[in-house]
Amino acid sequence: MLVIQTPTIDMSHLTIDDTLSKLETSYAGLSESEVKKRQALFGLNTIHKKKINTFAIFFRQLTGNPLLMILVLATTVAYLLGQQVSSFYIFGMILLSVVLGWWNEYSAERTIDHLLKKISPTALVLRQDVKTEIPASHLTIGDIVLLAPGSIVPADLRLIETKDCEINESALTGESHPVYKDCEPLLHKSSTAPRNLALMGTSIVSGVAKGVVFRIGKDTEFGKIAKSTTFLKPTTEFQKGISGFGNLIVKVILLLTLGLFGINTFLGRPFLESLLFALAIAVGLTPELLPVIITVSLSHGANKLFKKHVVVKQLISIENLGNMDILCTDKTGTLTEGTIQVVDFIDVKEEKDPHIMQLALACNNVTSSHKIGVNGIDMAVWEYARKNGYIPDKTLVKLEEEPFDYNRKMSYAIISRQRETYLIVKGAPDEILDHCSPLHYKHKLLDRFKSLNAQGYRIVAIASRKLPHRNAYDWDDVAELQYEGYITFLDIPKKSAKEALDTLHALNVQTKIITGDNEIVARKVCDDVGMKVEGVMTGSELESLSDHQFEQVVSSTNVFARVSPDQKLRIVQTLQKLGHTVGYMGDGINDIPSLHSADVGISVNTALDVAKDAASIVLLQKGLGVIADGVTEGRKTFSNTIKYILMGTSSNFGNMFSAAGASFLLPFLPMTPLQILLTNGLYDLSQLSLPSDNVDQEALIKPRHWNINFIRNYMIFFGPLSSLYDFATFGIMFYFFHARGTLFQTGWFIESVATEILVVFVIRTSRFPFFRSHPSKWLIITCLGMVSLGIAIPFSPFAQQLGFIAPPPAYFIILAILISTYLMLVEAVKNLFLKKYQP
């Protein structure tokens, strides 16, 4: 019977044997039956995430708009003072607005929750001495976990084996400097994370380790922090733009509402009626549907991208993707198929030699086809050996290994054979040869490698040396090596790469190749896929440049080879400094700094855990084509968001200004507060299909950015046009139809609804004339449907309660003339405005 009480046990002071004894496990790990018992007892290794709370979302929608809350309060007072019928209708309009917002936010949260499940982290464990890759959520106490560079620690572990292990604990401590780890018991209590513990959420920077799980889920240190902390994300350019627009709207609303309320009160109108009217105008001016439009647009885009095998971890990332104008990426899996294949294995005599394959298998960190964090070269060697019957030499016993070091461009293994100890090193040919004893044929060999590179082959050289038997080895032993031979690899150019590059180019997105491979192979691959090379720079050449020279080179060059992780980061940051929105696609531990720094971090589902964690977008299938799709979706979202804003700042603002002005000139209100809210509600309903509207191709060819001056000018130009036709309607109703009160309000209500909604077909496109652009089917249906409903309401059984009366037939002839001339005038002014102000 299990008696483990892990949260109360201090594992750092126990020896390894005592730790395993306390946790009732062993070096070989747990059996499957034991795992099931413990999972039933301790639960799954998941941090309790905040569930989607429908009530909380509803409450947020209700309280998120202060104007709405004030209107609720004022309407409650009106109800108590006897205006029950109109109050019920106003409450209904408020409820409709809140429900619309609630449903769309709820749907968006469900969408992102569903997408994140597609990229769940995994862990490599020992169970009954067999290495197995499992979902990290299935870990339980007593599991033995294997850690390699790039792994995110999946639970709280007591380390039981380490080899040059350094861990980044910034997720818990905020300190980015890696911490060296060992497995010795602590003699004294530590104020920081004990050196023999690896805590959930931290990541392996270098070396390897093995640990036993002693805390999972919410009992871990990370779980405790996550439960009590709100993590803030940096504000994006899009969010800053929305904030700037919001500030502009607030100023206009406050100025107009306070002025309107004060003047109506001064004119002797009833206090409550003046307050309700001013608040209704304020609500009419408020673009309360803007968050809904944005959320629906982003959610719609995320769903479309998921169908193309792209998972968006944060909805706002789609906007960033749309703004991207430079994509930095490796060539593997983007320009090539990403399936590296062994072609040949050659010895010092330039002959095919199975011995070279055996050495490569000995210096290889693949022990299972499901091994986490394996580089492509090791996996290619393993797969070739498995398919072609090359069985690893059992007389070679691996004592220890050092994974591939991206700065040294090598990896090594210490093996024992017949009581002799050997060091086997494999890596970049120039690095290997530099560490070998002098070779009289080195120049001839380098020429051979250069020739193979020019044909598109990647080369990994192998060398070895005999070592005295010791307890520990390190990189200092990599010297005076004996050259053994090399293996050639080929990654076939991707047929779809040319089309994807052309699409990105058409979207004004520059593609820059940043690779650790050599410049000859990089140029060859670019040539094979038809990518125009505009300069090639190597890491060593970049190293010698001044900051000013570096900026010039980074701008003009599109292929960077043999670059280190620090140089990748510097390239990204320099491009950002020059004003570009930079996307970076990577999947290795050497890509982490750049993924964090880029405006859009992109990784793949087969990447290391830390790479996926750093990225905001994860591809289920690696390729440039889906990136182009993402850019297009981002720009569509921005375009449709701007459509809503420009409409709101033209006809909607014009109508509200007209209502304010008419209230000073007429002995009665031009529309009641309820009618204003009804107008606003019909308008909002008509715009719900805007996120799925078609976007003109010319609106997608380059990134668009927030321009508050452009929006303000749009308001100044087009708002008065709407008001002009509103006052024309006032004059016709007042003098031609001699309308007062109800008939006047009905006439302006219908005209207001029709012009405010139908103008979307003009404003949604920059094309002239507007009918050259085709709106989506649903936008046509919702707009025409709401206009029809607005016309039908005065003829409905509810007309009298809403304060409407059926207008005379002649009114509709005049209405048709007003609508058609209004749309033509807006079209003409739009053409002039865009010529002058369009950025």
Side-chain angles (χ1 to χ4, degrees), residues 448-493:
R448 172 63 177 157
F449 292 158
K450 191 172 182 179
S451 173
L452 288 169
N453 287 157
Q455 298 172 53
Y457 292 104
R458 294 179 67 177
I459 301 166
V460 171
I462 299 176
S464 67
R465 68 173 289 196
K466 190 176 179 180
L467 291 174
H469 183 73
R470 300 196 299 266
N471 291 327
Y473 302 88
D474 56 33
W475 282 104
D476 291 338
D477 293 308
V478 182
E480 299 181 4
L481 302 174
Q482 177 184 338
Y483 173 69
E484 296 279 0
Y486 62 90
I487 300 179
T488 56
F489 301 83
L490 189 63
D491 191 2
I492 302 169

